[in-house]
Amino acid sequence: MATSLTGGDINIKGRVSCDSLDHQSRPAKRRRSSQQSDLIGQNGFIGKPLEPNLFDCQQKSTMDDCVDGSQSTGRMSRELDADTSHNTPNESVTSASIISHFPFKKSVSPSIFLRADLESSSPSIFKPTPSTPDTEKCKPRSSIPARLPAPVYAQQCISAAFASRLNPYALHKNEQMALQDHLCHLHVTVYLNIRNGILRLWTRNPMVRVTREEAFGCAKDQRWVNLAAFAYEWLVRNGYINFGCVDVPDALVLNNRRRRKDGPVVVIIGAGMSGLGCARQLEYLFRQYRDNAASARVIVIEGRRRIGGRIYSHPLKSHQATRFAPEFRPTAEMGAQIVVGFERGNPLDVIIRGQLALRCHLLRDISTIYDIDGSPVDELRDAMDERLYNDVLDRSGLYRHQAVMSPTAEGDRELINSGRDWSLDDGVSVRQYEEARAAGTIGLLLPAKRIRRGVGHKTSDLVSAGAPLTDLRSAEDRPAALECQSMGWKLRDGVSVNNTLNLDLVGRASDSQTLGAVMDEGVRQYQRMLPLTSKDMRLLNWHFANLEYANAANVGKLSLSGWDQDMGNEFEGEHAQVIGGYQQVPRGLWCFPTKLDVRTNKAVTKVVYDIAGTSGRKAMVHCEDGETVSADKVIFTGSLGVLRHGSVQFQPPLPDWKIAAIDRLGFGIMNKVVLVFDEPFWDVDRDMFGLLREPKDAGSMDQGDYSANRGRFYLFWNCVKTSGLPVLIALLAGDAAHQAEHQTDAEIIGEVTSQLRNIFKNATVPDPLETIITRWGLDKFTRGSYSFVASEALPGDYDLMAKSIGNLYFAGEATCGTHPATVHGAYLSGLRAASEVIESILGPIHVPTPLVPAKSKQTEPGTPVEQKRNEPSSVPGKIQARSNNSFPSESTLREAYEQAMWTALYAELGPPEPRPAKIGLNPFLLYQKDFWYKAKERSDDARRATSKNPNAKATRDEIRHTLGRMWRDASELEKRPYLEQIAVNRQTNSELWDRWKENISEWEKKTYEFKDRWCEANPFEIWQPGNSIKIAFVSQTATRPSSRTISAPSQPNADVDDNDSVGGTTVERPDPATKAL
């Protein structure tokens, strides 16, 4: 399960470090070098060395674990191409290479502004208009470093894709949907190389936006510029590049002195990470597609007097002896606290470390767990109980819902790894190839000779680039008793090593079974198998409490089949905390590069929207203070708890499918107790320590007795290194979080202080100077902490939460199925909502036809193929007659002479017959036409059975998957008519081809005869433009070809190679002057 929004997983491995980058308030503006500068010194700097960070100079003695890596943004660059050691798929690319040799004027660091109080903001006025680049005339400067070896460059591109949550070897499903009918399957490799190259530009310096021209420079050939244009637009619109606090200049528009019209108004409800991230992204996109005819506005409405939502860094005022520099304010995290790994695509890496340059403390998993008597738990005993807990959890995973993953088109892994492109084109689109692959008919789609030549790439043979999921069934194959022995446990007398757990009776008892029921049963069966003690039970339930912390709910409320439906999307690297307060991140999104229009202290009570979204009717947002804001689009980013509570009315009411998803998903509570002391009495070098809790009946071996109390102060965070003060934060998870909502402060503080005094008997534990207790369930703006997959939830509920209704859109952590209950999930949902809004305004990205021009320039239909490479090129036009005052060059006259000859030839003989169209040779496509609706019925039935929604309908991918399975399972008798039809089509193609070759050969012979006669009647030496002598053509038998060779017409045909000869004669390409005819 992904780490929770208000905290993180406890099992964190890493080292103490502090990444700090002092940077400018405005991003650097400079051209990226396509080559590495020769002026960069050995350490990557030029000229005067950078000044050390003020914080490190003053605090180095007290913060030895913080390693300073600060530098100015003016010294950042993407092009440290010689340094490739950090660019591996398992490392973070964003903050690894941000040094530049370009000098830049020093300015104030944004991290100082982030600690200031909120100020009033003014609206930004933009109008989005689509921009279509003229790729035919574009010859961009290459963005590929000339001095960098191709394999090294390729690995940097691959690393950049991994760091952007994209598979470097396969299309994203949305990319495939847009390109599948326009892109040849062989060109998928080319597209991926270009897309990965654009991502490389961004990840190497996220302080500076990637321009369209730089994106075009990632194409190695002019033919691929359209691919680069689409990749750039897709990456920008979907928030994979140019997101966060990056500045972008206004798009160039013509001056217009007329009065500007009002453009679209977008109102975002909620100024949390999703709302601010969405607003910042929309501001960027509106600038990207700006027009001078109208202006667009983005307005953020927030009910609280502050921004940040469930990120709230509460200032601490009781203790003034902070160890931080004056510009840092001591805070305690009331909500979100942990950054769950910066690597493998976390967008917060770009914002926190790459743009805002905030200092972070990397967490270490060096902790001690204390028992109820205050003694530390033996580490070996703790490890054995943890392995036993993990075994029970793994075995419960056998009842997980098995999601159907639809693979997308993949490129050639070997070529991508080496940085090479395909240059061939067999005319088979991505859709055709993927459908044939799913049906197992690739051999029929592509001629055997082309497969032998290696043109077709075997998508099914490629290994997925994503991290493989754990093979949970391996635990089931091993008997539980044998597994326990390998952990170090001793079996009870009479227990065989072949004994195992039998969880089916509980696991399959109900379709809405809970995880807690199955895990409790697993513990009870292990009690009969192993000599567990009450101490073992307390340790096991400590790990239960940790799981409840991650989900903000008791395990008895979690869905057995889907509680960890986001598994496989976790980020990598050490977990971290932001020094000086996590709230600096939303403040940075609000402030930089310009302040967003955020209106605080305006609680929304009602939203009136257009459910159709096509009538152009405005939406109305009603606030508690009586103000009403009109908008073209409304984005609701409030919590799932607010939706469940009904605090905001929607008119018309939300549809039943949305209400059902809201009701099925869970929204939990996790609370904290903040304790500020005068001096630390605990080990300040450890980031956390745990506490075992007694069941309601002391010494009980009943698993049910531990549920209510196990999450009560089960973990303490040591926040000395992040707040600058002696601060402990105790966590209340599971049922204990709900109990705290109704207890007095005195009761809670007295109990937690008593527990600390029990642990640290040898130290003096005073009463805290300052205490804060969170009660998120009572907060009217959240009604809880974060979402979880409840027992009644269905697999697609997070997607339903994200689905828009007319001009009403939704964002927030509960709408991000891949990263729910996390800050980065909330931010990603804001990027998604911004993409949906901009597409509703601009429409989908335009895909030109043809997407990839032919390798060589072609003539118009019915004319010979283009000129030979060694022949001069010319543009047809009127040539003046020879005179005493004007002497055109002989080459110009020769071109006009040839043009006149071809004009006369076509006038007499007509154009050559075009190549016949090829009839389809894929039997599966014929089968698909006949059985589509039958497959649709089957898929719909399966979808309804899975989702328990009688109105559910299958997607096109699911229908195609069913069709492919039906084709593979079909008998020979069922396939016979389609195979026979393909044989007929093949014979027809052959006959049409033979007839065309015969006709074109005859036409060719006539051209030889006509050309000889025309040249004889119009000798070049005396010929004048416009004075050609017409001749009557009489067909004769050509005994030999003319010395002037004639070109055969060019038509695409997959069965004939480009260098085939026609009719036994050599084919050459004519002069381009004939193309205009």
Side-chain angles (χ1 to χ4, degrees), residues 933-943 954 962 965-966:
Y933 290 102
K934 185 175 181 179
K936 184 177 185 301
E937 291 176 2
R938 291 188 184 181
S939 301
D940 288 344
D941 292 342
R943 182 61 135 171
T962 302
R965 187 171 60 252
M966 290 170 59

Side-chain angles (χ1 to χ4, degrees), residues 1029-1071:
I1029 300 175
K1030 296 183 178 180
I1031 63 172
F1033 177 73
V1034 179
S1035 178
Q1036 300 177 6
T1037 301
T1039 57
R1040 62 173 179 85
S1042 169
S1043 59
R1044 305 175 189 270
T1045 56
I1046 303 295
S1047 299
S1050 173
Q1051 298 290 341
N1053 192 304
D1055 290 337
V1056 180
D1057 292 338
D1058 292 337
N1059 59 351
D1060 285 346
S1061 61
V1062 179
T1065 61
T1066 303
V1067 179
E1068 294 188 13
R1069 294 173 178 173
D1071 191 282

Side-chain angles (χ1 to χ4, degrees), residues 863-864 876-877 894-912 1003 1007 1010-1011 1014-1015 1018 1023 1025-1031 1046 1070-1077:
T863 63
R894 175 66 67 181
E895 292 169 3
Y897 181 77
E898 295 286 342
Q899 178 182 341
M901 179 190 66
W902 280 106
T903 302
L905 189 150
Y906 283 152
E908 186 67 31
L909 301 181
W1003 181 86
T1007 61
F1010 179 88
K1011 194 171 184 181
W1014 190 90
C1015 292
N1018 298 276
W1023 177 82
N1027 295 330
S1028 302
I1029 300 175
K1030 296 183 178 180
I1031 63 172
I1046 303 295
D1071 191 282
T1074 63
K1075 296 179 183 179
L1077 304 179

Side-chain angles (χ1 to χ4, degrees), residues 204-221:
R204 291 183 77 79
N205 185 4
M207 285 295 295
V208 182
R209 72 185 183 101
V210 178
T211 65
R212 183 178 283 104
E213 291 72 22
E214 288 175 314
F216 293 172
C218 293
K220 299 177 183 177
D221 189 282

Side-chain angles (χ1 to χ4, degrees), residues 96 110-111 135 330 425 472 549 589 624 662 689 794 836 840 963 1010:
S111 30
T135 56
D425 186 342
L472 298 177
Y549 162 48
L589 285 173
E624 199 173 52
I662 293 172
F689 58 88
L794 299 177
E836 293 174 354
S840 70
L963 274 169
F1010 179 88

Side-chain angles (χ1 to χ4, degrees), residues 184-189 409-412 422 433-434 437 442 446 454-462:
C184 171
H185 74 106
L186 295 177
H187 295 160
V188 170
T189 300
E410 299 190 14
D412 188 296
W422 271 116
Y433 187 87
E434 291 301 307
R437 182 187 60 80
I442 292 180
L446 298 174
V455 173
H457 66 285
K458 299 281 188 177
T459 307
S460 58
D461 294 341
L462 297 181

Side-chain angles (χ1 to χ4, degrees), residues 624-912:
E624 199 173 52
D625 60 3
E627 182 180 356
T628 300
V629 183
S630 175
D632 296 277
K633 312 284 182 182
V634 174
I635 305 173
F636 183 84
T637 69
S639 72
L640 175 60
V642 171
L643 290 173
R644 290 171 65 92
H645 190 267
S647 306
V648 179
Q649 287 184 305
F650 293 91
Q651 184 180 341
L654 297 177
D656 292 342
W657 56 265
K658 178 74 78 171
I659 295 295
I662 293 172
D663 292 340
R664 287 192 297 264
L665 285 175
F667 197 69
I669 298 176
M670 202 285 297
N671 281 315
K672 299 180 178 181
V673 180
V674 180
L675 307 168
V676 183
F677 296 93
D678 187 47
E679 293 291 339
F681 50 82
W682 59 91
D683 185 355
V684 295
D685 291 329
R686 299 193 176 222
D687 294 317
M688 67 195 82
F689 58 88
L691 177 62
L692 301 185
R693 301 312 310 263
E694 190 80 273
K696 62 181 181 180
D697 293 332
S700 173
M701 295 296 292
D702 186 354
Q703 174 66 9
D705 291 343
Y706 288 84
S707 177
N709 204 39
R710 62 190 172 207
R712 197 169 186 82
F713 320 126
Y714 89 101
L715 184 75
F716 288 81
W717 284 109
N718 167 30
C719 299
V720 171
K721 295 173 182 176
T722 56
S723 67
L725 297 177
V727 175
L728 290 176
I729 296 182
L731 302 184
L732 294 161
D735 292 344
H738 291 266
Q739 297 165 8
E741 301 271 316
H742 309 289
Q743 287 184 292
T744 64
D745 289 2
E747 289 177 314
I748 296 174
I749 298 302
E751 182 180 353
V752 70
T753 305
S754 175
Q755 292 295 331
L756 289 173
R757 288 168 178 162
N758 181 47
I759 295 173
F760 301 102
K761 295 184 177 70
N762 298 327
T764 300
V765 179
D767 290 336
L769 300 176
E770 183 178 357
T771 62
I772 307 171
I773 300 173
T774 67
R775 292 180 174 89
W776 286 101
L778 301 179
D779 187 328
K780 70 174 184 177
F781 295 113
T782 57
R783 304 290 179 181
S785 298
Y786 39 92
S787 64
F788 65 90
V789 184
S791 59
E792 299 293 334
L794 299 177
D797 281 347
Y798 277 103
D799 294 334
L800 292 178
M801 288 295 303
K803 191 174 181 180
S804 61
I805 310 168
N807 60 353
L808 176 61
Y809 299 80
F810 294 87
E813 55 86 14
T815 68
C816 184
T818 55
H819 302 89
T822 58
V823 175
H824 56 265
Y827 180 74
L828 289 174
S829 73
L831 297 182
R832 172 196 43 81
S835 175
E836 293 174 354
V837 168
I838 206 70
E839 182 159 333
S840 70
I841 296 173
L842 300 182
I845 301 173
H846 172 67
V847 181
T849 303
L851 179 60
V852 177
K855 188 174 182 181
S856 299
K857 195 173 181 182
Q858 298 290 327
T859 62
E860 293 184 0
T863 63
V865 191
E866 64 182 280
Q867 68 184 57
K868 293 173 65 176
R869 182 170 297 181
N870 59 353
E871 292 184 4
S873 173
S874 67
V875 178
K878 185 174 181 180
I879 305 297
Q880 298 293 331
R882 302 182 190 182
S883 69
N884 295 331
N885 299 322
S886 177
F887 295 94
S889 65
E890 183 170 340
S891 62
T892 304
L893 288 173
R894 175 66 67 181
E895 292 169 3
Y897 181 77
E898 295 286 342
Q899 178 182 341
M901 179 190 66
W902 280 106
T903 302
L905 189 150
Y906 283 152
E908 186 67 31
L909 301 181

Side-chain angles (χ1 to χ4, degrees), residues 171 277 325 350 368 383 419 543 553 564 593 695 748 852 881 934 1027:
L171 298 177
V350 170
T368 302
H543 293 288
D564 60 346
I748 296 174
V852 177
K934 185 175 181 179
N1027 295 330

